[in-house]
Amino acid sequence: QQLTEHRIRFESLHAERAEVLKTTFQKLTALHWSLATTLARFQPAGTAPLQEKFEQATIAAKEYRDYWDNNRIFFTPETEQLLESLDKFTREVFADLTTYPIEAKDIPETDRETRNERREYWDKARATYEDDFSRTREALKAEFRTYLGVISHL
């Protein structure tokens, strides 16, 4: 009887942890794609304005951070470190994006120095996203797959 109760509690906790991992990764994926569309070098005509994309990325970042932070008890210290690193890289991206106006059109064309500085900050944000953020996201995805037992042994 006691062993059965323990097994049921363990199974329930594992199912809850799996749900937390799934939701955390869904929120991280929403952040990933919102950053990708915001940071894209080419912004196609007919898509949302850059300011709107930035605002969506800000919301996605907050939702991701709030969710995993409130569920941090489900993560190992190593995984928690990866999640903290993603937060750090996200903050770095946002700091670079907000140093100058989000929209380049909001800087006078005659102010070449400011336009160039803005471009440099955006290039830095892209590099952080493409390198540090993406690499850490892949490491986190591998951790989650290991937890869930879906790691491929090819």
Side-chain angles (χ1 to χ4, degrees):
Q1 165 112 22
Q2 193 175 26
L3 187 58
T4 302
E5 288 174 10
H6 179 57
R7 191 186 91 246
I8 290 170
R9 257 187 265 127
F10 179 78
E11 288 173 359
S12 175
L13 182 60
H14 183 71
E16 187 176 357
R17 186 180 194 203
E19 188 62 32
V20 167
L21 296 177
K22 178 181 121 181
T23 303
T24 299
F25 199 76
Q26 287 172 335
K27 291 182 180 296
L28 177 58
T29 299
L31 173 59
H32 161 70
W33 286 114
S34 65
L35 286 174
T37 58
T38 301
L39 291 166
R41 290 185 188 280
F42 175 70
Q43 298 288 327
T47 62
L50 195 53
Q51 182 67 42
E52 185 178 320
K53 291 177 183 181
F54 174 79
E55 290 166 7
Q56 290 170 350
T58 301
I59 292 167
K62 182 178 180 346
E63 288 178 356
Y64 158 74
R65 169 64 187 198
D66 288 350
Y67 184 80
W68 86 259
D69 192 36
N70 287 324
N71 289 284
R72 121 182 353 246
I73 194 72
F74 289 99
F75 302 107
T76 65
E78 296 80 14
T79 302
E80 192 174 356
Q81 190 66 38
L82 289 172
L83 293 161
E84 290 284 357
S85 293
L86 282 167
D87 279 342
K88 175 183 169 278
F89 299 138
T90 302
R91 285 190 307 274
E92 288 175 10
V93 166
F94 281 107
D96 290 335
L97 295 182
T98 58
T99 301
Y100 290 97
I102 298 297
E103 299 273 4
K105 68 182 181 182
D106 293 337
I107 301 170
E109 287 188 32
T110 55
D111 191 351
R112 292 194 186 284
E113 182 178 344
T114 301
R115 283 178 160 262
N116 286 337
E117 287 173 6
R118 178 196 173 275
R119 184 181 38 76
E120 289 171 10
Y121 274 97
W122 275 69
D123 287 345
K124 185 175 168 226
R126 285 183 186 104
T128 299
Y129 167 73
E130 292 167 358
D131 299 333
D132 300 325
F133 182 94
S134 295
R135 182 177 17 83
T136 306
R137 179 178 173 269
E138 288 302 312
L140 187 64
K141 185 178 1 176
E143 288 272 328
F144 283 9
R145 284 181 172 157
T146 299
Y147 289 156
L148 297 172
V150 293
I151 253 321
S152 174
H153 300 287
L154 296 177

